[in-house]
Amino acid sequence: MKTIESTLELDQRTRAVLEQVRNLGASHLRPLGLQADRAGAPLPPDHPFFEMVWRSGLAGGALAAPEEEEGGDGAPNYRHVRGCVLAEEASYWDRGVAVSLPGPGLGGPPVQLMGTPAQREQFLSIFRDRTGPPLWAAFAMTEPGAGSDVARIETRCTKDGDHWVLNGTKMFSSNSKRARWVAVFATADRAQGRAGHRAFVVESGTPGFEVIRVEKKMGVRAYETCTFVLQDCRVPAGNLLGGEEYYGERRGFKGAMASFNATRPVIAANAVGIARAAADIARDFIHDEYPRTGTRRALALERMVDMRRAIERSRLLCLRAAWRLDRGEPNALESSLAKMHAPPVALRAVSMAFDILGEAGIRRDRLLEKLYRDVKVLDIVEGTQQVQRLIVARRLVGLPSQG
Ligand SMILES: Cc1cc2nc3c(=O)[nH]c(=O)nc-3n(C[C@H](O)[C@H](O)[C@H](O)COP(=O)(O)OP(=O)(O)OC[C@H]3O[C@@H](n4cnc5c(N)ncnc54)[C@H](O)[C@@H]3O)c2cc1C
């Protein structure tokens, strides 16, 4: 399927980085994704690929729209749009390896959105210095009893002198085993509901922070998905994002929601990438293996047309959500529309490609069976399709999406 340049006029800098990602995709992301998938294990943090990509200045930073200086006159620099463009391309080649790349990853947005200038400098500037070893960060909201309904988190935080003490369990946290720090959401008082939410940066090596499990996943095996415990984990008061004065009017919870508004379009863009990959496999198969005429070919092409239309729609929804964010406009609705739409379209695209390939699709030497296992997670992470529908529905009748 047509690449993003068919949809959007890109500035010179984005075109150059996109070209870099494309080359890296063909040379490394796809082969390493297949390698990790076949091995059933994430790429180790000391894999030479991470060092190479870190030195190149690309890494997860560029792919996940890192903190960047604004345009000189306060004009938007469209870094979230750029993030979507690059996330689509990286995911086209391999979504698992794309998530495994060093950089702040999903940990970046909460620090960026909730942190004080000093905290942003302390925790994000380390990703700009590429002379040392590759670095990762991570995000931890999900708990055994709190997935879609993040208001139910139970990880407790208690103030003790100039520290906070954290206790609880976090699960499905991507890259947290190798992370230099994890942005952790906790509650100071469950009775206060959302008003009790606080966000912390927990640094690796802090006593009481321990990763206890790395999941064996059906797909996207190239990155780690971890469960960790916080047991009397003492975090300096300076690691409370935004400082204590920040937390009036449920701002801890709202900060998490704002963070999702930044990351959902990126996940949706990942889905566009996988959908494109599936559509390309189907196109090539029709070209190489189908008879030149006949009903079977006509039906397959009709499916391809429908799918192309749906994928283009997904892409435009992602770009619109990111564009509004870059312009400082509310984007909760657009972000949920993109997240609600793109992953199911990608699921259908992979399924359609299976229909077109027939039994050839399930062979392990084809990429398609891997895409089938990789794609589902996009419908789950950062809020499921059903949850996005609730958010959109509440907006349509004028209710705030945050309840
Ligand atoms: C590979 C992977 C990586 C992840 N990475 C991270 C990460 O880095 N950090 C992090 O914090 N989390 C992460 N997650 C967790 C992810 O965000 C949650 O899995 C997701 O929010 C859904 O939560 P849940 O799995 O507990 O499902 P549940 O909330 O238990 O939902 C189960 C089902 O019920 C439906 N449902 C729930 N509530 C409603 C409702 N009100 N109305 C209708 N239907 C509803 C859901 O749509 C879903 O189909 C990751 C998950 C995976 C699989």
Side-chain angles (χ1 to χ4, degrees):
M1 198 196 126
K2 289 255 164 103
T3 55
I4 191 120
E5 293 95 321
S6 66
T7 308
L8 188 71
E9 188 179 342
L10 301 172
D11 61 86
Q12 201 182 350
R13 177 176 159 211
T14 307
R15 271 206 312 276
V17 184
L18 182 61
E19 201 48 42
Q20 242 184 311
V21 174
R22 208 164 266 157
N23 293 334
L24 189 74
S27 65
H28 288 83
L29 301 189
R30 188 158 292 166
L32 288 173
L34 281 163
Q35 185 185 311
D37 185 69
R38 301 314 184 222
L43 299 174
D46 60 358
H47 195 290
F49 164 68
F50 291 130
E51 174 94 16
M52 181 272 280
V53 85
W54 180 249
R55 297 268 178 268
S56 78
L58 197 58
L63 300 177
E67 180 179 33
E68 288 173 10
E69 16 7 285
E70 288 298 315
D73 50 1
N77 65 15
Y78 294 105
R79 68 191 174 89
H80 292 98
V81 168
R82 188 176 314 123
C84 280
V85 168
L86 301 177
E88 177 191 316
E89 189 61 27
S91 184
Y92 173 85
W93 296 101
D94 195 274
R95 202 258 168 181
V97 179
V99 177
S100 78
L101 293 177
L106 293 177
V111 175
Q112 179 73 32
L113 291 162
M114 303 169 75
T116 61
Q119 288 171 329
R120 291 206 293 269
E121 180 58 25
Q122 181 183 352
F123 297 117
L124 293 175
S125 65
I126 57 171
F127 295 100
R128 282 188 226 119
D129 174 11
R130 299 297 174 90
T131 53
L135 298 175
W136 287 261
F139 169 85
M141 173 70 82
T142 307
E143 298 182 2
S148 301
D149 189 357
V150 298
R152 292 166 62 92
I153 55 170
E154 289 182 358
T155 294
R156 292 187 312 282
C157 56
T158 315
K159 186 85 192 280
D160 182 21
D162 56 2
H163 281 74
W164 286 83
V165 183
L166 271 60
N167 279 286
T169 302
K170 294 286 181 186
M171 61 193 300
F172 291 125
S173 175
S174 306
N175 294 330
S176 49
K177 189 169 178 202
R178 63 187 63 186
R180 172 59 64 96
W181 52 260
V182 185
V184 174
F185 284 78
T187 173
D189 181 2
R190 282 208 71 199
Q192 286 185 40
R194 292 159 184 184
H197 286 201
R198 302 286 182 273
F200 298 89
V201 170
V202 177
E203 292 164 88
S204 66
T206 309
F209 169 87
E210 192 190 352
V211 174
I212 57 167
R213 194 169 72 226
V214 176
E215 301 296 339
K216 292 268 179 210
K217 301 199 293 282
M218 66 183 267
V220 285
R221 292 173 173 163
Y223 71 94
E224 285 163 341
T225 304
C226 311
T227 297
F228 64 83
V229 290
L230 298 157
Q231 196 168 19
D232 295 328
C233 181
R234 293 177 69 80
V235 173
N239 288 23
L240 173 66
L241 285 176
E244 285 192 51
E245 54 287 357
Y246 176 86
Y247 292 89
E249 299 171 350
R250 306 190 304 171
R251 282 186 72 192
F253 181 74
K254 287 180 181 171
M257 295 304 113
S259 176
F260 287 139
N261 292 340
T263 51
R264 280 174 182 152
V266 175
I267 303 294
N270 286 160
V272 176
I274 293 188
R276 251 179 63 203
D280 281 1
I281 291 172
R283 179 204 57 202
D284 291 349
F285 194 82
I286 293 170
H287 183 271
D288 297 342
E289 315 264 345
Y290 269 44
R292 290 280 149 223
T293 55
T295 315
R296 190 168 164 227
R297 185 185 179 90
L299 286 172
L301 289 177
E302 195 181 327
R303 281 197 177 115
M304 293 284 293
V305 170
D306 283 347
M307 203 38 63
R308 169 73 182 271
R309 189 172 53 187
I311 299 172
E312 288 282 356
R313 221 165 28 218
S314 296
R315 182 187 270 162
L316 290 170
L317 285 168
C318 296
L319 293 173
R320 180 166 169 76
W323 179 78
R324 284 183 68 91
L325 189 62
D326 282 327
R327 293 167 59 86
E329 295 170 13
N331 79 332
L333 175 69
E334 290 77 10
S335 160
S336 283
L337 280 171
K339 179 67 180 62
M340 184 180 98
H341 191 267
V345 163
L347 275 159
R348 282 210 307 281
V350 176
S351 184
M352 174 210 71
F354 258 104
D355 292 344
I356 288 173
L357 266 69
E359 65 273 21
I362 61 163
R363 279 180 21 207
R364 285 205 78 187
D365 59 344
R366 303 259 182 188
L367 181 65
L368 193 57
E369 64 86 26
K370 176 174 176 295
L371 294 183
Y372 202 72
R373 291 182 285 105
D374 284 351
V375 72
K376 177 60 192 170
V377 73
L378 296 171
D379 201 29
I380 300 173
V381 296
E382 305 290 296
T384 63
Q385 189 188 147
Q386 291 79 6
V387 168
Q388 306 312 315
R389 283 177 181 277
L390 282 179
I391 295 171
V392 171
R394 290 178 73 87
R395 291 269 159 177
L396 288 179
V397 293
L399 290 169
S401 60
Q402 289 150 20

